[in-house]
Amino acid sequence: MKRLHYERGRAAFTLWDRLQKHRLAHPRDGAPPVVDPEDDDEGEEWFESDANGNVKIHRDINSGSIGLDDSVPCEATKSDTGNNKFKALFGGSRTHNEQILVRSCGVIVSRATFYNAEAVSNVLLFVQKTFSVPRAFKPEHFIYDTNCNAKQQVLARPEEWSWFLDVGMTVDVFHFLHKHKVGHEFCQEHCNPADHPELMGPDGRTWFFNTSIAEQTNVWLGGYHSICREMLPAKYNFFLDEMIRLHIELTVAKLAADGQNPRRRVARTTSF
């Protein structure tokens, strides 16, 4: 029982459990069976022993994370209009955020400045343009914290976003666990990283890649925020590009020192 308790705390175990429950509740063929809410494991749990010394596990179901209408937007959705209200501007205009693409090894691939909002359409365009330049290799997976919205846009407009139809689009493990509702059908069906065995390690219990590497790199990049906030565009872009270039050199050198080969490309073997 103790082993099961700690096993349930593993991200891979939790995501696989969610995926299995989603498939049970929403089978691809036939009428969906009725799923007992008591089987949901998203609430708190505790242990009690009876007079005979038998230990039992008890769970308190979190009703706020089950039974949601899938028509309700995912709570991890980012506003297309940004987080700023309309107001008079009597000073300099500021950008909304810096967006970066990071390889799973930690090497930054590209950077883009978003001016008004982090709209998923802009993110998709950013990714497509980055990997459409000469000698660029299209990725097999694109991991993004609101990929549920990006994936819906791709499926809704397959002619416009055909570039993404053979790319795996999942949410990183941290955001999938903490920002996406268990009852959101589309998220569970299309964006659960546990649904892609190639993302799992040989033991099937740990992740082959660090899916949160971009968020961790954002922490490093955010350290320059106070330095850059008053820079004009030319100096701003030059400074960030140079810092990222140095970061890439240090990352590649560290990977090489650890016995890795960051300059070698592995042939693509997976299709979606």
Side-chain angles (χ1 to χ4, degrees), residues 11 31 44 66 112 115 138 144 147 176 259 265:
E44 297 181 355
I66 58 176
Y115 288 92
K138 188 176 180 179
Y144 178 48
N147 243 344
F176 196 88
R265 175 179 176 265

Side-chain angles (χ1 to χ4, degrees), residues 103-105 143 172-173 199 207-214 216:
R103 295 281 189 185
S104 56
C105 60
I143 301 175
D172 63 281
V173 175
L199 297 180
W207 302 102
F208 192 82
F209 300 108
N210 177 11
T211 60
S212 296
I213 187 64
Q216 295 168 1

Side-chain angles (χ1 to χ4, degrees), residues 49-116:
S49 59
D50 55 21
N52 298 324
N54 298 319
V55 179
K56 295 184 178 181
I57 184 171
H58 299 269
R59 300 187 183 93
D60 183 16
I61 304 302
N62 181 4
S63 58
S65 61
I66 58 176
L68 291 181
D69 184 359
D70 196 42
S71 62
V72 179
C74 178
E75 64 173 7
T77 300
K78 298 178 181 178
S79 172
D80 289 339
T81 59
N83 53 7
N84 297 322
K85 297 181 179 180
F86 288 104
K87 56 185 177 181
L89 180 63
F90 300 100
S93 177
R94 297 190 182 276
T95 60
H96 183 270
N97 73 292
E98 288 297 316
Q99 200 79 5
I100 57 175
L101 291 177
V102 186
R103 295 281 189 185
S104 56
C105 60
V107 174
I108 300 175
V109 179
S110 182
R111 175 185 71 88
T113 302
F114 285 27
Y115 288 92
N116 296 311

Side-chain angles (χ1 to χ4, degrees), residues 14-22 42 176-177 182 188:
T14 304
L15 295 192
W16 177 252
D17 188 50
R18 287 188 184 182
L19 182 63
Q20 291 297 95
K21 288 177 180 177
H22 171 77
E42 294 303 317
F176 196 88
L177 281 173
V182 178
Q188 299 297 327

Side-chain angles (χ1 to χ4, degrees), residues 7-265:
E7 186 73 12
R8 285 162 51 81
R10 294 179 180 270
F13 181 90
T14 304
L15 295 192
W16 177 252
D17 188 50
R18 287 188 184 182
L19 182 63
Q20 291 297 95
K21 288 177 180 177
H22 171 77
R23 288 175 174 173
L24 178 64
H26 305 280
R28 298 180 183 273
D29 300 317
V34 178
V35 179
D36 187 356
E38 295 297 327
D39 290 336
D40 193 281
D41 297 332
E42 294 303 317
E44 297 181 355
E45 65 178 21
W46 67 95
F47 300 90
E48 292 182 358
S49 59
D50 55 21
N52 298 324
N54 298 319
V55 179
K56 295 184 178 181
I57 184 171
H58 299 269
R59 300 187 183 93
D60 183 16
I61 304 302
N62 181 4
S63 58
S65 61
I66 58 176
L68 291 181
D69 184 359
D70 196 42
S71 62
V72 179
C74 178
E75 64 173 7
T77 300
K78 298 178 181 178
S79 172
D80 289 339
T81 59
N83 53 7
N84 297 322
K85 297 181 179 180
F86 288 104
K87 56 185 177 181
L89 180 63
F90 300 100
S93 177
R94 297 190 182 276
T95 60
H96 183 270
N97 73 292
E98 288 297 316
Q99 200 79 5
I100 57 175
L101 291 177
V102 186
R103 295 281 189 185
S104 56
C105 60
V107 174
I108 300 175
V109 179
S110 182
R111 175 185 71 88
T113 302
F114 285 27
Y115 288 92
N116 296 311
E118 189 183 333
V120 292
S121 57
N122 290 338
V123 173
L124 292 174
L125 187 62
F126 171 41
V127 175
Q128 182 175 343
K129 285 185 174 294
T130 297
F131 294 104
S132 297
V133 298
R135 300 183 64 184
F137 295 103
K138 188 176 180 179
E140 298 180 30
H141 279 274
F142 169 49
I143 301 175
Y144 178 48
D145 56 0
T146 53
N147 243 344
C148 51
N149 293 332
K151 182 71 173 181
Q152 289 184 76
Q153 189 162 139
V154 169
L155 296 180
R157 302 177 181 177
E159 299 83 7
E160 181 180 356
W161 301 113
S162 59
W163 191 88
F164 289 91
L165 294 179
D166 62 343
V167 176
M169 300 177 66
T170 58
V171 176
D172 63 281
V173 175
F174 175 81
H175 283 91
F176 196 88
L177 281 173
H178 302 287
K179 298 294 184 180
H180 294 258
K181 290 287 188 181
V182 178
H184 197 277
E185 182 178 341
F186 189 90
C187 287
Q188 299 297 327
E189 182 175 353
H190 296 279
C191 301
N192 191 333
D195 195 26
H196 298 274
E198 64 273 16
L199 297 180
M200 304 295 295
D203 58 1
R205 300 166 58 186
T206 56
W207 302 102
F208 192 82
F209 300 108
N210 177 11
T211 60
S212 296
I213 187 64
E215 296 293 337
Q216 295 168 1
T217 307
N218 271 336
V219 175
W220 165 81
L221 188 63
Y224 297 108
H225 181 267
S226 59
I227 301 175
C228 298
R229 61 180 296 114
E230 299 299 335
M231 288 183 179
L232 295 178
K235 184 179 292 186
Y236 176 86
N237 288 320
F238 174 79
F239 177 80
L240 283 185
D241 288 344
E242 284 300 297
M243 293 300 101
I244 290 176
R245 181 183 64 81
L246 293 174
H247 184 273
I248 293 173
E249 291 183 359
L250 292 174
T251 302
V252 171
K254 184 178 184 303
L255 290 171
D258 292 340
Q260 307 297 327
N261 193 350
R263 301 185 185 279
R264 178 175 177 269
R265 175 179 176 265

